[in-house]
Amino acid sequence: MRRFDDERREMIQLLKDRGISDKRVLEAMEKVPRHMFVMEAFINRAYDDCALPIGYSQTISQPYTVAFMTESLKAKEGEKVLEIGTGSGYQAAILASMGVRVFTIERNYQLLNEARKRLDKLGYRVAARAGDGTLGWSDFKPYNGILVTAGSPTIPQPLLDQLDEGGRLVIPIGGLDEQKLHIIEKKGEEFLTREVQGFKFVPLIGKRGWSN
Ligand code: SAM
């Protein structure tokens, strides 16, 4: 719809103004219809730069956060990325639209089913399953990138173990109220980390995250 196209273009300009410069990320975010991933009641706010409820006390992340995390991941076409926290499926659609091979895990069955249907309908090919993402998805390891879209108290070891050489893990770490985004790159036996302040995510609940 024309109106949503205009709003999406305005969102892209805002992302550029906030410092997002990766053309592939901006192109993907200009293509993927975010209004198809939000609840009907919030459709008028689909392109506002804020998180929105998707039911079950969960949210679709703010566009700037999605853009920043995707840019930080530096995933190339054809590479394998594991996403923890499928939620609405929006982040998975952004990665898929960049030509990335996406594997995504969601702990909430209802959200997973809704996201699967939505992704299928819109033509995004993504491997999605229910489960505790803090344990990773070892069947398809190693991953070039792992992106965690919920906040964890510590870095789950299985995610580090499932990262390929040169791969990146992007994960919010901290307390329940605020987290720092950790951008971790595997270099041989070492993990090089950059931390960026000022993020707020719903909790990562699981064996290697917060307890239920
Ligand atoms: N990436 C999503 C999107 O694009 O809509 C937003 C995800 S929302 C901020 C975080 C999601 O992580 C929630 O749907 C929540 O149920 C899920 N989650 C929390 N702990 C999890 C775990 N251990 N494994 C998998 N999913 C988890």
Side-chain angles (χ1 to χ4, degrees):
M1 224 198 286
R2 173 89 188 274
R3 178 193 135 201
F4 289 126
D5 292 346
D6 290 346
E7 290 184 9
R8 202 155 50 241
R9 271 193 287 276
E10 281 169 30
M11 178 186 82
I12 298 302
Q13 188 54 51
L14 184 138
L15 295 175
K16 286 183 184 165
D17 293 346
R18 291 198 65 183
I20 303 298
S21 60
D22 187 324
K23 264 184 71 183
R24 293 167 56 243
V25 175
L26 292 166
E27 274 169 19
M29 292 189 69
E30 190 159 352
K31 266 193 264 160
V32 176
R34 193 171 192 263
H35 62 277
M36 305 287 280
F37 291 82
V38 304
M39 293 166 89
E40 188 66 34
F42 295 99
I43 202 158
N44 289 331
R45 298 179 58 197
Y47 294 99
D48 289 359
D49 193 25
C50 61
L52 292 171
I54 53 172
Y56 315 98
S57 308
Q58 303 303 324
T59 54
I60 175 172
S61 303
Q62 177 184 356
Y64 174 72
T65 302
V66 173
F68 188 80
M69 290 179 89
T70 312
E71 187 169 83
S72 303
L73 199 64
K74 293 194 193 309
K76 299 187 192 79
E77 196 169 340
E79 286 189 343
K80 268 195 294 180
V81 167
L82 174 64
E83 180 201 21
I84 313 300
T86 316
S88 68
Y90 179 69
Q91 173 74 72
I94 296 292
L95 290 166
S97 131
M98 290 168 67
V100 168
R101 292 167 62 198
V102 187
F103 299 82
T104 181
I105 308 180
E106 171 57 56
R107 71 184 289 273
N108 179 306
Y109 285 84
Q110 286 101 326
L111 278 176
L112 179 78
N113 286 335
E114 288 168 22
R116 266 195 183 137
K117 279 189 209 146
R118 196 176 282 132
L119 289 164
D120 273 357
K121 192 173 151 194
L122 292 169
Y124 296 108
R125 287 191 57 212
V126 164
R129 76 160 172 90
D132 176 4
T134 66
L135 305 176
W137 191 347
S138 61
D139 300 358
F140 299 103
K141 73 177 181 188
Y143 298 96
N144 305 104
I146 301 180
L147 196 149
V148 183
T149 67
S152 181
T154 54
I155 299 165
Q157 185 62 40
L159 300 186
L160 293 175
D161 296 343
Q162 292 177 24
L163 210 53
D164 204 353
E165 173 59 28
R168 288 175 164 233
L169 167 63
V170 177
I171 179 169
I173 300 289
L176 287 169
D177 291 333
E178 206 187 347
Q179 303 91 32
K180 284 181 188 163
L181 200 64
H182 286 226
I183 301 155
I184 302 167
E185 192 176 348
K186 183 172 177 175
K187 285 266 178 211
E189 295 304 302
E190 278 191 293
F191 291 96
L192 311 177
T193 305
R194 180 162 78 94
E195 294 178 17
V196 186
Q197 306 226 31
F199 289 87
K200 179 161 174 50
F201 285 82
V202 294
L204 182 74
I205 297 169
K207 270 201 180 128
R208 304 295 185 98
W210 294 99
S211 52
N212 204 347

